[in-house]
Amino acid sequence: MSEKENTIRLASIPGDGIGTEVIRSALEYLSPKAASFDVNIDVEELDWGADKWLREGVGIPKGKLERLQKEKHAIFFGAVGDPRIPDMAHGREILLGLRKRLDLYANVRPIQILKPELSPLKNAQNIDMVIIRENTEGIYVGEGTHESEGTINERACDISVNTYMGVERIIRYAFELAKKRRGHVTLVDKNNAMRFGGSLWQRTFKEVAGDFANVETAHLYADVACMRLVDDPQRFDVIVTDNLFGDILSDIGASIMGSLGLAASANINPGKLSLFEPVHGSAPDIVGQGIANPLAAVMTGAMLFDELGYLELATSIRKDAMGAVRKGLVTPDLGGELKTEAVIEELVSHI
Ligand code: NAD
Ligand code: IPM
Ligand code: MN
């Protein structure tokens, strides 16, 4: 469904906690904003999340995903996570299930400074990078063993699976992106400790790099990469890494921007039904207070429109969000006094 049409058919899955707050609020701005660019957004809200899981024992209803693949252009997702389900069983089925079953192999997580004063870093000028996180393999595959539970011999193993196909395509995705940006890719791994997967990533990175003569490369171990994100973030353009390291690095990146409430992400299978979600979770500590920052969801909307080819709309959304941030018309996580709805009203006033 890559053909540009004037109606975008969205499945929205607000999920749990502040996921519901930020997704519904963001749409109150994104829909009229898109309309001002002659783009109609047709939203079908799905009730997948903790309540449904507890009520019906269902994460993704049978047959529903196949229908979405036929009918929708994109999925706009909030967050999953609920204190009543401490092992996140529903989240694994819903969010990790969607990533896996839709083969959304590229998790794209941009880190950009909107206003240097918001960053905890002293020198936060010119930070502009994208973390490309492998999104279908690694330790997230849910394979492993758990033996002799509750005894002194208990042994719990989570296996990190890395396939050549999976590693090659995500590294290639990162190089293609770098080509359109500043031409630099950093591979982040732990091949000093992770023998098998580490060597596959290293070898494949060199192989793919051979196809991109004009892209410079670097390698950092994940521990040092965490340090460099804090003391020398300007060195990064595109980072490519596995599922787990990508998860960790992206929260450091969010903090560098000033708040998790600003970090957007896209889960992409190029040309196929893809899923767009803020990086943050359901934030049980602030749920129901009306103070969740909606800007991560709004910027996620911009990524969605970009991916569907509505580039001017996406750029204009980013400009509106940037304006609110620069003027300090923001929620308390960014030092502001506004509630979620007031931030949205501010954005709507610029349409
Ligand atoms: P979290 O991202 O929900 O919250 C971390 C901190 O950031 C909290 O203090 C929270 O208040 C703050 N925060 C997050 N988003 C914010 C926003 N938009 N505005 C203002 N402040 C914001 O991480 P957590 O507390 O570790 O996890 C809570 C639940 O969410 C867990 O169940 C976790 O597994 C889940 N989770 C889900 C996703 C997802 O669905 N994509 C992502 C991360 C965590
Ligand atoms: C994220 C989240 C998820 C992840 C959790 C909820 C499983 O932290 O999207 O960053 O680890 O991928
Ligand atoms: Mn995360």
Side-chain angles (χ1 to χ4, degrees):
M1 266 200 223
S2 56
E3 197 181 315
K4 208 153 133 187
E5 296 167 22
N6 274 339
T7 294
I8 297 179
R9 289 188 299 279
L10 273 192
S12 93
I13 306 175
D16 305 329
I18 66 161
T20 60
E21 301 172 19
V22 298
I23 291 301
R24 290 183 189 140
S25 308
L27 285 169
E28 284 168 24
Y29 157 72
L30 293 171
S31 289
K33 179 75 185 178
S36 75
F37 279 72
D38 289 325
V39 178
N40 175 44
I41 303 193
D42 174 52
V43 182
E44 181 185 353
E45 186 178 294
L46 304 172
D47 64 352
W48 307 357
D51 285 342
K52 190 180 183 71
W53 179 267
L54 291 170
R55 213 174 47 234
E56 303 167 23
V58 171
I60 300 178
K62 212 159 180 267
K64 197 80 178 195
L65 202 51
E66 294 68 24
R67 184 168 78 71
L68 296 187
Q69 283 175 300
K70 280 199 202 93
E71 293 177 3
K72 305 297 180 195
H73 294 104
I75 300 173
F76 192 39
F77 191 95
V80 277
D82 187 298
R84 294 169 296 171
I85 313 173
D87 68 355
M88 204 34 171
H90 74 305
R92 280 196 303 278
E93 179 169 325
I94 299 170
L95 180 59
L96 302 186
L98 284 165
R99 289 176 182 168
K100 187 80 188 166
R101 290 170 63 185
L102 295 173
D103 202 20
L104 305 172
Y105 68 86
N107 192 330
V108 181
R109 297 187 154 186
I111 310 297
Q112 259 170 342
I113 296 293
L114 304 186
K115 188 180 180 186
E117 298 75 38
L118 293 176
S119 177
L121 302 186
K122 269 186 290 195
N123 172 19
Q125 308 285 349
N126 304 321
I127 299 174
D128 180 2
M129 70 184 92
V130 182
I131 297 171
I132 300 296
R133 164 188 181 188
E134 201 296 317
N135 212 29
T136 55
E137 301 193 336
I139 206 126
Y140 282 71
V141 293
E143 291 181 26
T145 51
H146 200 166
E147 294 157 24
S148 309
E149 212 172 326
T151 75
I152 193 133
N153 297 317
E154 182 161 355
R155 192 165 186 272
C157 304
D158 293 279
I159 297 174
S160 176
V161 173
N162 300 269
T163 67
Y164 174 74
M165 187 203 79
V167 173
E168 204 271 347
R169 67 182 178 175
I170 195 67
I171 292 176
R172 192 165 290 281
Y173 190 97
F175 274 87
E176 290 292 352
L177 178 66
K179 221 166 68 174
K180 294 184 225 141
R181 291 174 48 93
R182 300 196 305 281
H184 190 280
V185 183
T186 304
L187 168 67
V188 172
D189 66 17
K190 272 296 285 183
N191 86 304
N192 50 358
M194 294 159 74
R195 266 174 70 195
F196 307 113
S199 80
L200 173 58
W201 277 82
Q202 286 278 328
R203 198 190 72 231
T204 312
F205 187 72
K206 289 193 186 99
E207 178 191 307
V208 174
D211 294 341
F212 294 85
N214 297 323
V215 176
E216 278 183 68
T217 62
H219 168 250
L220 289 177
Y221 296 123
D223 46 357
V224 177
C226 291
M227 183 173 76
R228 293 295 173 233
L229 275 172
V230 174
D231 69 18
D232 186 19
Q234 288 84 1
R235 71 157 62 209
F236 296 107
D237 177 18
V238 175
I239 292 176
V240 65
T241 190
D242 81 359
N243 213 336
L244 182 60
F245 296 139
D247 180 46
I248 296 166
L249 296 183
S250 54
D251 272 28
I252 300 179
S255 176
I256 289 172
M257 286 198 271
S259 170
L260 257 174
L262 287 177
S265 89
N267 298 251
I268 308 267
N269 183 343
K272 300 268 173 62
L273 179 67
S274 294
L275 181 152
F276 300 80
E277 54 165 348
V279 172
H280 66 73
S282 56
D285 55 337
I286 58 163
V287 71
Q289 297 177 33
I291 56 166
N293 190 341
L295 293 177
V298 165
M299 302 286 260
T300 295
M303 292 187 81
L304 186 157
F305 294 126
D306 255 342
E307 191 65 23
L308 295 180
Y310 298 90
L311 307 185
E312 281 171 28
L313 171 57
T315 302
S316 184
I317 289 168
R318 290 199 179 92
K319 220 172 118 208
D320 289 349
M322 191 90 88
V325 169
R326 294 230 168 100
K327 285 185 269 178
L329 298 172
V330 288
T331 42
D333 56 306
L334 293 176
E337 286 167 1
L338 263 50
K339 293 236 171 185
T340 311
E341 278 308 313
V343 175
I344 294 299
E345 279 162 28
E346 159 63 18
L347 298 180
V348 167
S349 75
H350 291 276
I351 295 176

